[in-house]
Amino acid sequence: MPRSPGRPPLDAHPDARAALLDAAVALYAERGIAATTTADVAARAGVTPALVHYYFRPRERLLDAVVDERVSRFVAHVTARLPGADTPTPAWVAAFADAVFDAAEAMPWMPPLWIREIIAGDGALRMKMARHLPREAIGALAARIAEGQKRGTIDPAIEPRLAFVTLAGATMFPLATQPLWANIAPGAVPTRGDLRRHARAVLAHGLTGPATAAARGGRRAAARATPARSVSG
Amino acid sequence: MPRSPGRPPLDAHPDARAALLDAAVALYAERGIAATTTADVAARAGVTPALVHYYFRPRERLLDAVVDERVSRFVAHVTARLPGADTPTPAWVAAFADAVFDAAEAMPWMPPLWIREIIAGDGALRMKMARHLPREAIGALAARIAEGQKRGTIDPAIEPRLAFVTLAGATMFPLATQPLWANIAPGAVPTRGDLRRHARAVLAHGLTGPATAAARGGRRAAARATPARSVSG
Amino acid sequence: MPRSPGRPPLDAHPDARAALLDAAVALYAERGIAATTTADVAARAGVTPALVHYYFRPRERLLDAVVDERVSRFVAHVTARLPGADTPTPAWVAAFADAVFDAAEAMPWMPPLWIREIIAGDGALRMKMARHLPREAIGALAARIAEGQKRGTIDPAIEPRLAFVTLAGATMFPLATQPLWANIAPGAVPTRGDLRRHARAVLAHGLTGPATAAARGGRRAAARATPARSVSG
Amino acid sequence: MPRSPGRPPLDAHPDARAALLDAAVALYAERGIAATTTADVAARAGVTPALVHYYFRPRERLLDAVVDERVSRFVAHVTARLPGADTPTPAWVAAFADAVFDAAEAMPWMPPLWIREIIAGDGALRMKMARHLPREAIGALAARIAEGQKRGTIDPAIEPRLAFVTLAGATMFPLATQPLWANIAPGAVPTRGDLRRHARAVLAHGLTGPATAAARGGRRAAARATPARSVSG
DNA sequence: TATGAATGAGTCTTCATTCAT
DNA sequence: CATGAATGAAGACTCATTCAT
């Protein structure tokens, strides 16, 4: 089957193409999509602006590709690490948080991209992300919460529909603030370990609550998935 | 000594100027700063693009004015409603959350603006916001947390330096997702009341914790829309 | 005779109007006419841009006024000091040079304005200057030269029609270069006296000629800062 | 290491680029730099305004290029034709004038450009021209004059530092007035030959001096259109 | 007499995009 | 596969000018 001449085959992923996607996703995270020009992307990838159009003809196709070939990887990375349905909710939540932190280690562009382009405003990426959202996991989480409330183990003031938003916010939000710390308190920048421990604690028993048995259990569960080093309840 | 002729005085606030600031802050929240053109702002305010330059000669002076005359109002609104130093920490935190939700009612552009332009990326607003941050309140919160940990009433896994980030995230983040719900589940959009109740519960005892006495006390206080001072930290 | 309301009377010359003309002519000399905006003129005069249009409605009227009320003064100043028809040509020429240097002392904006806007290119001022040119003196000078050539006292290679151009160039040109010297040789800027003596010498016997009796006479006269009428042609 | 992508290489000189430079230098001479818009230049070169920015990104780089690739050619053309150090001063000066007239024949935009943008006012070109000035020739000329004065062959009233200014003025100035003549005396426009003969005569023995032996020698040399080396200073 | 508000036209510049090679 | 040349559309900004006060 001959492909139209002058167009790269859809399944061809030469170096330049991958380099462009990497450059694009990094710049989108740093400056935002609207502030990133085709020339910026080309410059960071070390190629000509014309080449960007060679691969991603209308500018928006670059966005599509970033979503389908970069952002979706992050989602897949996280969902692949989610524990089974039989895991108790607190442990499941802690494991989710861990998965996000692990993924952000490899793909640090995701947290800023997420909060800037998916959460806020019209979010250029929001619509495109729709088909990559882990709907199943989101639904399951809401169901878990609702069920826990029925059983009396989860505060009824929690809104199940907002559980995923809170979970994502508690992890992505502090991760996205990291560059911010350089300005606020250069000497005392929290490490990624601090962020992870803090996020798990907040999800387990809030900002002001004392360590509870449930939380300790959840943390212990997480210990199997991650470093939970010396932590005593 | 006459000021630079042909320029409006800095303290003049005619109607058109205020309308331009309102238009700008709304558009910045909706589309982001980089994606908002001078012409967009002028159009929404019902004036000519040239008038934007009449009042805010280089584009950036519009940004400055938005920060100094709009965003700072949000901060002032919140800090003015913070309870006194003798308030127990859980109640103080709950009151903070309430203050944010109240302010967002009057200034709905703040949450998206905050997470997009202050938290994420290079944040054009971040530097400009520096002088408007409630540094005192942020420091006091961190001190509270640290003290509670010393007394054993707050989980030592909580990172005091991240307390403000979490507090802001727990409130601003869900508020910023509101336009998002129209896409996800048009029929079941959480109300602002849901958001507020949820945020308070998360801050009090996490996503998966059961309602505790302390949390219940805080919640009751919230019902009266004033901080519950009798509750012990 | 009632004048139209809202217009200043044509014969009224309040301070602001004169200040605007002074500011305009100075700026035109420094930056050129094209590079001088209405706001620039207003700023230097310490008034509002709108006032410039109050007095000189279309921008070009300001130009007309500058020609008629400033540039023409320079011309008048020079022609008023020209010696009589009976003066021998070398002395007449020397007196002309002196008159120009004297006028430039009081109106230093003229030399740059002259060479930039009257001599060069389309010269915005050229057409407007037409009616202020000292046609009579120019014609008389050409006639003198021609006659001198007939009598054998002036080199026939001199082109009578170019006499005025040369005379003006020899005086205006070095005067206009004065700001230039600050860059070239800050320590050794020629004084106005140097310029005057040099110009007279060049006009008298060229760049490379030895001092002649006639020239010496002219020079002595210059020392007294008045034309030497007794010197024979 | 690739150069900044999307920009033409600095050493590339396609046709359009040269056409733009030619158009620019011509318009600068006619209207002045400040009065010449990017669109004007593009229109005369028969291309889009955007192309001007493609080659000369900030407007000022066009100026730089005009200086480095057009104006400097004029200077080079003149200096290449200057006679050797052993040439007597009067002949050297006459040769200089001839070289200028020859260069102006090929590059008629130089005289107006020179007096408008290099001599007058702030002269946008003045600073940029600094590195292209024939400093050596200028210094040598001043030294010649000073030495002639010491030997008594040159009038001590001549100011050596002003020799170059006078030399340039005597040649460039009348050349720049040529378009002016169309207005003044359409029927009797001096030819370029008139201008050249006149300028040489003025430099040799002034406006009012009689023809001298030395000058006659110089003039005879000019008739052959080459510097007369045999004439004694 | 004087000015602040407001604007239309135009200028410089950027940028995504096209196309011949 | 890749790029240099070229452009249309649009953005920020300037400026002379108008007008109500």
Side-chain angles (χ1 to χ4, degrees):
Chain A
M1 187 174 69
R3 56 192 174 77
S4 74
R7 300 273 73 208
L10 284 180
D11 55 343
H13 284 222
D15 280 324
R17 192 174 185 280
L20 282 170
L21 285 176
D22 291 336
V25 79
L27 287 169
Y28 289 169
E30 284 170 28
R31 316 178 182 178
I33 295 174
T36 301
T37 72
T38 306
D40 292 336
V41 175
R44 178 171 290 208
V47 300
T48 333
L51 193 62
V52 180
H53 289 92
Y54 178 71
Y55 282 114
F56 312 99
R57 179 70 56 144
R59 186 186 194 265
E60 198 166 339
R61 276 226 220 150
L62 177 54
L63 259 185
D64 290 336
V66 163
V67 168
D68 292 341
E69 302 175 41
R70 288 294 178 275
V71 176
S72 67
R73 281 188 195 171
F74 188 97
V75 176
H77 191 282
V78 170
T79 47
R81 275 155 188 79
L82 291 183
D86 54 341
T87 314
T89 298
W92 193 91
V93 164
F96 191 117
D98 279 332
V100 169
F101 276 95
D102 290 344
E105 208 93 17
M107 291 167 268
W109 37 259
M110 185 59 165
L113 197 61
W114 171 273
I115 74 167
R116 204 207 291 252
E117 307 290 355
I118 301 181
I119 296 301
D122 296 341
L125 287 190
R126 186 182 295 169
M127 302 288 290
K128 295 183 194 303
M129 271 300 292
R131 65 175 175 285
H132 293 291
L133 279 182
R135 297 188 173 283
E136 205 178 336
I138 294 174
L141 174 59
R144 274 170 187 284
I145 300 288
E147 195 203 359
Q149 289 173 326
K150 227 178 275 171
R151 286 206 320 246
T153 58
I154 289 183
D155 185 343
I158 294 291
E159 169 57 54
R161 282 167 295 172
L162 292 175
F164 178 70
V165 170
T166 295
L167 193 36
T171 50
M172 294 287 205
F173 202 74
L175 278 167
T177 62
Q178 278 212 295
L180 193 152
W181 284 95
N183 293 343
I184 293 184
V189 181
T191 66
R192 281 200 191 133
D194 293 335
L195 262 50
R196 185 190 293 247
R197 204 171 348 108
H198 177 84
R200 290 177 50 126
V202 167
L203 289 170
H205 45 270
L207 193 59
T208 55
T212 63
R216 271 193 294 274
R219 271 217 318 293
R220 227 180 291 124
R224 285 180 278 116
T226 61
R229 329 241 137 165
S230 56
V231 183
S232 66
Chain B
M1 190 173 56
R3 63 189 169 68
S4 162
R7 297 280 81 214
L10 285 180
D11 54 342
H13 283 219
D15 279 9
R17 192 175 183 279
L20 283 169
L21 284 176
D22 291 335
V25 79
L27 287 168
Y28 288 170
E30 285 171 26
R31 317 179 181 177
I33 294 174
T36 301
T37 72
T38 305
D40 293 337
V41 176
R44 178 172 291 209
V47 298
T48 329
L51 193 64
V52 181
H53 292 99
Y54 177 70
Y55 282 113
F56 313 98
R57 172 95 54 145
R59 190 187 197 266
E60 195 166 340
R61 281 204 22 206
L62 176 54
L63 253 187
D64 290 336
V66 163
V67 169
D68 291 341
E69 301 174 39
R70 289 292 179 277
V71 176
S72 69
R73 280 188 196 172
F74 188 98
V75 175
H77 191 282
V78 170
T79 48
R81 277 160 186 73
L82 292 184
D86 55 338
T87 313
T89 299
W92 194 92
V93 164
F96 191 118
D98 280 332
V100 170
F101 276 95
D102 289 344
E105 208 94 16
M107 293 167 265
W109 38 259
M110 184 60 165
L113 197 60
W114 172 274
I115 75 168
R116 202 206 293 252
E117 306 291 355
I118 299 181
I119 296 302
D122 297 340
L125 286 191
R126 186 181 295 169
M127 301 288 291
K128 295 183 195 300
M129 270 302 291
R131 65 176 176 284
H132 294 292
L133 280 183
R135 297 188 173 281
E136 206 179 336
I138 296 175
L141 174 60
R144 274 170 188 283
I145 301 287
E147 196 204 0
Q149 290 174 327
K150 224 177 277 173
R151 287 209 319 244
T153 57
I154 291 183
D155 186 339
I158 292 292
E159 170 55 56
R161 283 167 296 171
L162 292 174
F164 179 71
V165 171
T166 295
L167 192 39
T171 51
M172 295 287 204
F173 202 74
L175 278 167
T177 59
Q178 275 211 295
L180 192 152
W181 286 96
N183 295 343
I184 294 184
V189 179
T191 66
R192 280 199 192 132
D194 293 336
L195 261 51
R196 185 190 293 244
R197 205 170 350 106
H198 176 84
R200 290 178 53 125
V202 168
L203 289 169
H205 46 270
L207 194 58
T208 54
T212 63
R216 270 193 294 276
R219 257 199 350 281
R220 232 183 288 125
R224 285 181 277 121
T226 59
R229 310 204 171 221
S230 59
V231 178
S232 67
Chain C
M1 186 176 67
R3 57 192 173 77
S4 71
R7 299 273 75 209
L10 283 179
D11 54 344
H13 283 222
D15 281 323
R17 191 174 185 281
L20 283 169
L21 284 175
D22 291 336
V25 80
L27 287 169
Y28 289 170
E30 284 170 27
R31 319 179 180 176
I33 294 174
T36 301
T37 72
T38 306
D40 291 337
V41 176
R44 178 170 290 208
V47 300
T48 332
L51 194 63
V52 180
H53 289 92
Y54 178 72
Y55 282 113
F56 312 99
R57 179 71 55 141
R59 187 185 193 266
E60 199 166 337
R61 275 226 222 150
L62 176 54
L63 257 185
D64 290 335
V66 163
V67 169
D68 291 341
E69 301 174 39
R70 289 294 178 274
V71 176
S72 67
R73 281 188 195 171
F74 189 98
V75 176
H77 190 281
V78 170
T79 47
R81 275 158 188 77
L82 292 184
D86 56 338
T87 313
T89 298
W92 195 93
V93 164
F96 191 118
D98 280 332
V100 169
F101 276 95
D102 290 343
E105 207 95 15
M107 294 167 267
W109 37 258
M110 186 58 165
L113 197 61
W114 171 274
I115 75 168
R116 203 206 294 252
E117 306 291 354
I118 300 182
I119 296 302
D122 296 341
L125 288 191
R126 185 181 295 169
M127 300 288 291
K128 295 182 196 300
M129 271 301 291
R131 65 176 173 283
H132 293 290
L133 278 182
R135 298 188 173 282
E136 205 178 337
I138 296 176
L141 174 59
R144 274 171 187 283
I145 300 289
E147 195 203 2
Q149 289 173 327
K150 225 177 277 173
R151 288 209 319 246
T153 58
I154 291 182
D155 186 341
I158 293 291
E159 169 57 56
R161 283 167 296 170
L162 291 175
F164 179 70
V165 171
T166 294
L167 191 39
T171 50
M172 295 286 204
F173 201 74
L175 278 167
T177 61
Q178 276 211 295
L180 194 151
W181 284 95
N183 294 343
I184 293 183
V189 180
T191 66
R192 283 201 190 129
D194 293 336
L195 261 51
R196 185 191 294 246
R197 204 172 349 108
H198 177 85
R200 289 177 53 125
V202 168
L203 288 169
H205 46 267
L207 194 59
T208 55
T212 63
R216 267 196 294 276
R219 249 192 4 274
R220 229 181 293 126
R224 285 180 278 121
T226 58
R229 311 204 173 224
S230 59
V231 178
S232 68
Chain D
M1 191 173 58
R3 66 193 166 67
S4 162
R7 298 281 81 212
L10 285 178
D11 55 341
H13 285 219
D15 279 8
R17 190 174 184 279
L20 282 170
L21 284 176
D22 291 336
V25 80
L27 287 168
Y28 288 170
E30 285 171 25
R31 315 178 182 179
I33 294 174
T36 302
T37 73
T38 306
D40 292 337
V41 176
R44 178 173 293 207
V47 298
T48 329
L51 193 66
V52 181
H53 293 98
Y54 176 72
Y55 282 113
F56 312 99
R57 172 105 46 152
R59 189 184 196 270
E60 193 165 343
R61 280 203 23 206
L62 176 54
L63 252 186
D64 291 335
V66 163
V67 169
D68 292 340
E69 302 174 39
R70 289 293 179 276
V71 176
S72 68
R73 279 189 197 170
F74 188 98
V75 175
H77 191 282
V78 170
T79 49
R81 277 159 186 76
L82 291 183
D86 55 339
T87 313
T89 299
W92 194 93
V93 164
F96 191 118
D98 280 333
V100 170
F101 276 94
D102 289 345
E105 207 95 15
M107 294 167 267
W109 38 257
M110 186 59 165
L113 197 61
W114 170 273
I115 74 167
R116 203 206 292 253
E117 306 290 354
I118 299 181
I119 295 303
D122 296 341
L125 285 190
R126 185 181 297 171
M127 301 288 291
K128 294 182 195 301
M129 270 302 292
R131 65 176 176 286
H132 293 292
L133 280 182
R135 297 189 173 282
E136 205 179 337
I138 295 176
L141 174 59
R144 274 171 186 282
I145 300 288
E147 195 203 2
Q149 289 174 327
K150 224 178 279 173
R151 288 207 318 245
T153 58
I154 290 183
D155 185 343
I158 293 291
E159 170 56 57
R161 283 167 294 172
L162 292 175
F164 178 70
V165 171
T166 296
L167 193 36
T171 50
M172 295 287 204
F173 203 74
L175 277 166
T177 61
Q178 276 212 295
L180 194 152
W181 285 96
N183 295 342
I184 293 182
V189 180
T191 66
R192 281 202 191 128
D194 294 336
L195 262 48
R196 182 189 296 244
R197 202 169 354 104
H198 177 84
R200 291 178 51 123
V202 168
L203 288 169
H205 46 270
L207 194 60
T208 55
T212 63
R216 271 195 294 276
R219 256 200 351 279
R220 229 182 291 126
R224 285 180 277 121
T226 58
R229 310 205 173 225
S230 58
V231 179
S232 67

